[in-house]
Short mmCIF file of all heavy atoms in Angstrom, two decimals:
data_model
loop_
_atom_site.label_atom_id
_atom_site.label_comp_id
_atom_site.label_asym_id
_atom_site.label_seq_id
_atom_site.Cartn_x
_atom_site.Cartn_y
_atom_site.Cartn_z
N PHE A 1 -6.77 -124.53 33.30
CA PHE A 1 -5.49 -125.05 33.77
C PHE A 1 -4.35 -124.08 33.43
O PHE A 1 -3.19 -124.48 33.33
CB PHE A 1 -5.20 -126.43 33.16
CG PHE A 1 -5.93 -127.55 33.84
CD1 PHE A 1 -7.17 -127.96 33.37
CD2 PHE A 1 -5.41 -128.18 34.96
CE1 PHE A 1 -7.86 -128.99 34.00
CE2 PHE A 1 -6.09 -129.20 35.60
CZ PHE A 1 -7.33 -129.61 35.12
N VAL A 2 -4.69 -122.81 33.29
CA VAL A 2 -3.69 -121.80 32.96
C VAL A 2 -2.56 -121.74 33.99
O VAL A 2 -1.38 -121.67 33.61
CB VAL A 2 -4.35 -120.42 32.78
CG1 VAL A 2 -3.29 -119.32 32.65
CG2 VAL A 2 -5.25 -120.43 31.55
N PRO A 3 -2.83 -121.78 35.30
CA PRO A 3 -1.72 -121.72 36.28
C PRO A 3 -0.71 -122.85 36.09
O PRO A 3 0.50 -122.62 36.14
CB PRO A 3 -2.43 -121.82 37.63
CG PRO A 3 -3.82 -121.32 37.37
CD PRO A 3 -4.14 -121.78 35.99
N GLU A 4 -1.20 -124.06 35.88
CA GLU A 4 -0.31 -125.21 35.69
C GLU A 4 0.46 -125.11 34.38
O GLU A 4 1.66 -125.42 34.32
CB GLU A 4 -1.11 -126.51 35.73
CG GLU A 4 -1.64 -126.90 37.11
CD GLU A 4 -2.88 -126.13 37.53
OE1 GLU A 4 -3.48 -125.45 36.66
OE2 GLU A 4 -3.25 -126.20 38.71
N LEU A 5 -0.23 -124.68 33.32
CA LEU A 5 0.44 -124.53 32.03
C LEU A 5 1.52 -123.45 32.08
O LEU A 5 2.56 -123.58 31.45
CB LEU A 5 -0.60 -124.22 30.94
CG LEU A 5 -1.53 -125.38 30.58
CD1 LEU A 5 -2.73 -124.89 29.78
CD2 LEU A 5 -0.77 -126.45 29.80
N MET A 6 1.28 -122.40 32.85
CA MET A 6 2.29 -121.36 33.00
C MET A 6 3.52 -121.87 33.74
O MET A 6 4.64 -121.45 33.47
CB MET A 6 1.70 -120.15 33.73
CG MET A 6 0.73 -119.34 32.90
SD MET A 6 -0.05 -118.00 33.86
CE MET A 6 1.38 -117.05 34.36
N LYS A 7 3.30 -122.78 34.69
CA LYS A 7 4.44 -123.38 35.39
C LYS A 7 5.29 -124.20 34.43
O LYS A 7 6.53 -124.18 34.49
CB LYS A 7 3.94 -124.28 36.53
CG LYS A 7 3.49 -123.54 37.77
CD LYS A 7 3.16 -124.52 38.89
CE LYS A 7 2.73 -123.79 40.15
NZ LYS A 7 2.42 -124.72 41.26
N LEU A 8 4.62 -124.92 33.55
CA LEU A 8 5.33 -125.77 32.61
C LEU A 8 5.98 -124.97 31.48
O LEU A 8 7.06 -125.33 31.00
CB LEU A 8 4.36 -126.79 32.00
CG LEU A 8 3.84 -127.87 32.95
CD1 LEU A 8 2.70 -128.65 32.28
CD2 LEU A 8 4.95 -128.83 33.35
N TYR A 9 5.31 -123.88 31.06
CA TYR A 9 5.78 -123.09 29.92
C TYR A 9 5.79 -121.60 30.30
O TYR A 9 4.94 -120.83 29.85
CB TYR A 9 4.88 -123.34 28.70
CG TYR A 9 4.73 -124.81 28.37
CD1 TYR A 9 3.61 -125.53 28.77
CD2 TYR A 9 5.74 -125.49 27.69
CE1 TYR A 9 3.48 -126.88 28.49
CE2 TYR A 9 5.63 -126.84 27.40
CZ TYR A 9 4.50 -127.53 27.80
OH TYR A 9 4.38 -128.87 27.53
N PRO A 10 6.74 -121.19 31.13
CA PRO A 10 6.76 -119.81 31.64
C PRO A 10 6.97 -118.75 30.56
O PRO A 10 6.62 -117.59 30.77
CB PRO A 10 7.93 -119.83 32.63
CG PRO A 10 8.79 -120.98 32.21
CD PRO A 10 7.85 -122.01 31.68
N ASP A 11 7.52 -119.14 29.42
CA ASP A 11 7.76 -118.17 28.34
C ASP A 11 6.59 -118.08 27.36
O ASP A 11 6.62 -117.24 26.45
CB ASP A 11 9.03 -118.53 27.57
CG ASP A 11 10.28 -118.45 28.45
OD1 ASP A 11 10.31 -117.60 29.36
OD2 ASP A 11 11.20 -119.25 28.23
N ALA A 12 5.59 -118.91 27.53
CA ALA A 12 4.46 -118.91 26.61
C ALA A 12 3.59 -117.67 26.81
O ALA A 12 3.44 -117.17 27.93
CB ALA A 12 3.61 -120.17 26.80
N LYS A 13 3.00 -117.17 25.72
CA LYS A 13 2.06 -116.08 25.79
C LYS A 13 0.72 -116.60 26.31
O LYS A 13 0.31 -117.72 25.98
CB LYS A 13 1.84 -115.45 24.41
CG LYS A 13 3.12 -115.07 23.67
CD LYS A 13 3.74 -113.83 24.25
CE LYS A 13 4.94 -113.38 23.41
NZ LYS A 13 5.59 -112.17 23.96
N VAL A 14 0.03 -115.81 27.11
CA VAL A 14 -1.30 -116.18 27.60
C VAL A 14 -2.31 -115.26 26.92
O VAL A 14 -2.32 -114.05 27.16
CB VAL A 14 -1.40 -116.06 29.13
CG1 VAL A 14 -2.80 -116.47 29.60
CG2 VAL A 14 -0.34 -116.91 29.82
N ILE A 15 -3.13 -115.83 26.06
CA ILE A 15 -4.08 -115.05 25.26
C ILE A 15 -5.49 -115.56 25.50
O ILE A 15 -5.77 -116.75 25.29
CB ILE A 15 -3.74 -115.11 23.76
CG1 ILE A 15 -2.30 -114.63 23.53
CG2 ILE A 15 -4.73 -114.27 22.96
CD1 ILE A 15 -1.84 -114.72 22.07
N CYS A 16 -6.35 -114.67 25.93
CA CYS A 16 -7.74 -115.03 26.23
C CYS A 16 -8.66 -114.49 25.15
O CYS A 16 -8.77 -113.27 24.97
CB CYS A 16 -8.14 -114.47 27.60
SG CYS A 16 -9.87 -114.80 28.05
N THR A 17 -9.31 -115.38 24.42
CA THR A 17 -10.28 -114.95 23.41
C THR A 17 -11.57 -114.49 24.10
O THR A 17 -12.01 -115.10 25.08
CB THR A 17 -10.59 -116.09 22.43
OG1 THR A 17 -10.78 -117.31 23.17
CG2 THR A 17 -9.47 -116.28 21.44
N VAL A 18 -12.17 -113.42 23.58
CA VAL A 18 -13.37 -112.85 24.19
C VAL A 18 -14.42 -112.55 23.13
O VAL A 18 -14.11 -112.48 21.93
CB VAL A 18 -13.03 -111.55 24.96
CG1 VAL A 18 -12.13 -111.84 26.16
CG2 VAL A 18 -12.39 -110.51 24.04
N ARG A 19 -15.66 -112.37 23.58
CA ARG A 19 -16.76 -111.97 22.71
C ARG A 19 -17.84 -111.34 23.60
O ARG A 19 -17.67 -111.25 24.82
CB ARG A 19 -17.33 -113.16 21.94
CG ARG A 19 -17.97 -114.22 22.81
CD ARG A 19 -18.53 -115.40 22.06
NE ARG A 19 -19.71 -115.06 21.29
CZ ARG A 19 -20.52 -115.96 20.75
NH1 ARG A 19 -20.25 -117.26 20.88
NH2 ARG A 19 -21.57 -115.59 20.06
N ASP A 20 -18.93 -110.91 23.03
CA ASP A 20 -20.04 -110.37 23.80
C ASP A 20 -20.52 -111.42 24.80
O ASP A 20 -20.87 -112.55 24.42
CB ASP A 20 -21.19 -109.98 22.87
CG ASP A 20 -22.40 -109.45 23.63
OD1 ASP A 20 -22.44 -108.24 23.90
OD2 ASP A 20 -23.27 -110.27 23.96
N SER A 21 -20.54 -111.06 26.08
CA SER A 21 -20.80 -112.07 27.13
C SER A 21 -22.22 -112.62 27.07
O SER A 21 -22.44 -113.81 27.37
CB SER A 21 -20.52 -111.47 28.51
OG SER A 21 -21.32 -110.33 28.75
N ASP A 22 -23.21 -111.80 26.70
CA ASP A 22 -24.59 -112.30 26.63
C ASP A 22 -24.76 -113.30 25.49
O ASP A 22 -25.39 -114.35 25.66
CB ASP A 22 -25.56 -111.13 26.44
CG ASP A 22 -25.66 -110.26 27.68
OD1 ASP A 22 -25.41 -110.77 28.78
OD2 ASP A 22 -25.96 -109.05 27.54
N LYS A 23 -24.20 -113.00 24.33
CA LYS A 23 -24.27 -113.93 23.20
C LYS A 23 -23.49 -115.20 23.51
O LYS A 23 -23.89 -116.29 23.12
CB LYS A 23 -23.72 -113.26 21.94
CG LYS A 23 -24.60 -112.15 21.41
CD LYS A 23 -24.03 -111.55 20.13
CE LYS A 23 -24.96 -110.46 19.60
NZ LYS A 23 -24.42 -109.82 18.38
N TRP A 24 -22.38 -115.05 24.23
CA TRP A 24 -21.59 -116.21 24.63
C TRP A 24 -22.40 -117.13 25.53
O TRP A 24 -22.42 -118.35 25.35
CB TRP A 24 -20.32 -115.77 25.34
CG TRP A 24 -19.58 -116.91 25.96
CD1 TRP A 24 -18.72 -117.77 25.36
CD2 TRP A 24 -19.70 -117.35 27.32
NE1 TRP A 24 -18.28 -118.72 26.25
CE2 TRP A 24 -18.87 -118.48 27.46
CE3 TRP A 24 -20.43 -116.90 28.42
CZ2 TRP A 24 -18.74 -119.17 28.66
CZ3 TRP A 24 -20.30 -117.59 29.63
CH2 TRP A 24 -19.46 -118.71 29.74
N ALA A 25 -23.10 -116.54 26.52
CA ALA A 25 -23.89 -117.34 27.46
C ALA A 25 -24.98 -118.11 26.73
O ALA A 25 -25.22 -119.29 27.00
CB ALA A 25 -24.50 -116.43 28.53
N GLU A 26 -25.64 -117.44 25.79
CA GLU A 26 -26.68 -118.10 25.01
C GLU A 26 -26.12 -119.26 24.20
O GLU A 26 -26.71 -120.35 24.15
CB GLU A 26 -27.33 -117.08 24.08
CG GLU A 26 -28.46 -117.64 23.23
CD GLU A 26 -29.04 -116.60 22.30
OE1 GLU A 26 -28.74 -115.40 22.48
OE2 GLU A 26 -29.81 -116.98 21.38
N SER A 27 -24.96 -119.05 23.60
CA SER A 27 -24.32 -120.09 22.78
C SER A 27 -23.91 -121.28 23.62
O SER A 27 -24.16 -122.44 23.26
CB SER A 27 -23.10 -119.50 22.07
OG SER A 27 -22.39 -120.50 21.38
N LEU A 28 -23.27 -121.04 24.76
CA LEU A 28 -22.77 -122.15 25.58
C LEU A 28 -23.90 -122.91 26.25
O LEU A 28 -23.85 -124.13 26.38
CB LEU A 28 -21.78 -121.63 26.63
CG LEU A 28 -20.98 -122.73 27.33
CD1 LEU A 28 -20.12 -123.49 26.32
CD2 LEU A 28 -20.11 -122.17 28.44
N ASP A 29 -24.95 -122.20 26.66
CA ASP A 29 -26.09 -122.89 27.26
C ASP A 29 -26.75 -123.84 26.28
O ASP A 29 -27.18 -124.93 26.63
CB ASP A 29 -27.12 -121.88 27.77
CG ASP A 29 -26.75 -121.31 29.13
OD1 ASP A 29 -25.95 -121.95 29.83
OD2 ASP A 29 -27.27 -120.24 29.48
N LYS A 30 -26.81 -123.43 25.00
CA LYS A 30 -27.40 -124.30 23.97
C LYS A 30 -26.56 -125.55 23.79
O LYS A 30 -27.08 -126.67 23.70
CB LYS A 30 -27.51 -123.53 22.65
CG LYS A 30 -28.22 -124.32 21.56
CD LYS A 30 -28.38 -123.47 20.31
CE LYS A 30 -29.11 -124.25 19.22
NZ LYS A 30 -29.28 -123.44 17.99
N THR A 31 -25.23 -125.38 23.77
CA THR A 31 -24.33 -126.52 23.63
C THR A 31 -24.45 -127.45 24.83
O THR A 31 -24.49 -128.67 24.70
CB THR A 31 -22.88 -126.03 23.49
OG1 THR A 31 -22.78 -125.23 22.32
CG2 THR A 31 -21.93 -127.22 23.36
N ALA A 32 -24.50 -126.85 26.04
CA ALA A 32 -24.61 -127.66 27.26
C ALA A 32 -25.89 -128.47 27.26
O ALA A 32 -25.92 -129.63 27.68
CB ALA A 32 -24.54 -126.76 28.49
N SER A 33 -26.99 -127.86 26.77
CA SER A 33 -28.27 -128.57 26.71
C SER A 33 -28.19 -129.77 25.78
O SER A 33 -28.70 -130.85 26.08
CB SER A 33 -29.38 -127.62 26.25
OG SER A 33 -29.55 -126.57 27.17
N ASN A 34 -27.53 -129.59 24.64
CA ASN A 34 -27.37 -130.71 23.70
C ASN A 34 -26.58 -131.85 24.34
O ASN A 34 -26.90 -133.03 24.16
CB ASN A 34 -26.64 -130.24 22.44
CG ASN A 34 -27.52 -129.37 21.55
OD1 ASN A 34 -28.73 -129.45 21.61
ND2 ASN A 34 -26.88 -128.54 20.75
N ALA A 35 -25.53 -131.49 25.08
CA ALA A 35 -24.65 -132.51 25.67
C ALA A 35 -25.32 -133.28 26.79
O ALA A 35 -24.88 -134.37 27.15
CB ALA A 35 -23.37 -131.84 26.19
N GLN A 36 -26.41 -132.72 27.36
CA GLN A 36 -27.03 -133.34 28.52
C GLN A 36 -28.34 -134.06 28.18
O GLN A 36 -29.11 -134.39 29.07
CB GLN A 36 -27.28 -132.27 29.59
CG GLN A 36 -25.98 -131.77 30.19
CD GLN A 36 -26.11 -130.39 30.80
OE1 GLN A 36 -27.20 -129.99 31.19
NE2 GLN A 36 -25.01 -129.67 30.88
#
């Protein structure tokens, strides 16, 4: 919802946290499996 949040708070900083994409995919898939 970054576009909408930018409309509401145009002076806010937009910061995207990042990590190794392969390790991220493995981590999120495990979480998604638990939730389902």
Side-chain angles (χ1 to χ4, degrees):
F1 281 92
V2 171
E4 288 79 12
L5 289 165
M6 287 175 60
K7 283 186 179 181
L8 291 170
Y9 307 99
D11 296 328
K13 309 286 186 181
V14 181
I15 303 177
C16 178
T17 44
V18 294
R19 64 180 290 193
D20 178 87
S21 59
D22 290 334
K23 291 182 179 178
W24 171 83
E26 181 181 347
S27 174
L28 193 62
D29 278 340
K30 185 176 181 180
T31 299
S33 297
N34 287 336
Q36 291 157 25

